[in-house]
Amino acid sequence: GSNCRIALVSPDDVHVIWESVVPLLEPSQHDQSEFSISDFFELITEGEMHLWVAIEGKEIIACMISQFHTVPQKRVLRIIFISGEGMDRWIENFPMVENFALMNGCTFLEVWGRKAWIKILKAWDWDCKYHIITKDLTSRMH
């Protein structure tokens, strides 16, 4: 079996591992993310977002950032970023994330990601309910 596990990092401990996580966050900067790496750090250390890491041995091989989103009819744990490697080795521990969501009053999980996640997550009982289609208007700004 794999010695890979998932851990939720306490906001007080983020600074201890942040330098190991930054390289995993760099792809978000190429995708016109709504968040910079420093935004993520601030929001995680303030407790507004959650940092999850997949650890194999003593190495962080993947990270995930989530946040709660509440609307009138439901509370959602929204996964807004995942990056790294070895998903086949840590996905079996994902029920820990589901339990965290349930313990915090969430009735749904969401993933913000590229279309490829639809195929990957379908194998784990996820459904694609809708797509978000965007258009960049910055070129029209004066």
Side-chain angles (χ1 to χ4, degrees), residues 55-95:
I55 304 167
E56 190 166 47
K58 294 183 179 184
E59 182 183 359
I60 296 173
I61 62 168
C63 74
M64 179 175 82
I65 297 174
S66 65
Q67 69 182 151
F68 296 122
H69 178 69
T70 303
V71 293
Q73 300 301 316
K74 63 183 175 180
R75 183 167 165 90
V76 175
L77 181 64
R78 181 178 284 166
I79 299 164
I80 60 169
F81 182 80
I82 301 175
S83 181
E85 61 182 46
M87 184 178 188
D88 58 323
R89 299 189 305 273
W90 56 261
I91 192 75
E92 65 193 35
N93 296 305
F94 202 79

Side-chain angles (χ1 to χ4, degrees), residues 2-133:
S2 174
N3 65 346
C4 192
R5 60 188 175 89
I6 296 176
L8 174 61
V9 181
S10 164
D12 295 335
D13 295 333
V14 170
H15 70 282
V16 175
I17 64 163
W18 190 249
E19 290 305 315
S20 298
V21 173
V22 167
L24 297 169
L25 295 174
E26 288 174 349
S28 73
Q29 304 310 290
H30 304 294
D31 292 338
Q32 299 177 342
S33 175
E34 287 85 8
F35 302 99
S36 69
I37 291 174
S38 61
D39 293 335
F40 281 137
F41 181 80
E42 184 177 328
L43 291 164
I44 293 166
T45 57
E46 291 175 355
E48 297 294 318
M49 291 184 174
H50 322 105
L51 175 63
W52 302 82
V53 291
I55 304 167
E56 190 166 47
K58 294 183 179 184
E59 182 183 359
I60 296 173
I61 62 168
C63 74
M64 179 175 82
I65 297 174
S66 65
Q67 69 182 151
F68 296 122
H69 178 69
T70 303
V71 293
Q73 300 301 316
K74 63 183 175 180
R75 183 167 165 90
V76 175
L77 181 64
R78 181 178 284 166
I79 299 164
I80 60 169
F81 182 80
I82 301 175
S83 181
E85 61 182 46
M87 184 178 188
D88 58 323
R89 299 189 305 273
W90 56 261
I91 192 75
E92 65 193 35
N93 296 305
F94 202 79
M96 175 186 173
V97 177
E98 295 175 11
N99 291 338
F100 173 78
L102 288 167
M103 289 186 318
N104 284 280
C106 296
T107 54
F108 286 84
L109 291 174
E110 288 181 351
V111 170
W112 285 11
R114 294 182 302 273
K115 196 173 174 181
W117 281 108
I118 296 169
K119 184 177 179 183
I120 293 167
L121 294 174
K122 209 153 195 51
W124 295 93
D125 297 326
W126 287 69
D127 294 317
C128 179
K129 298 291 186 189
Y130 54 87
H131 297 281
I132 297 174
I133 301 161

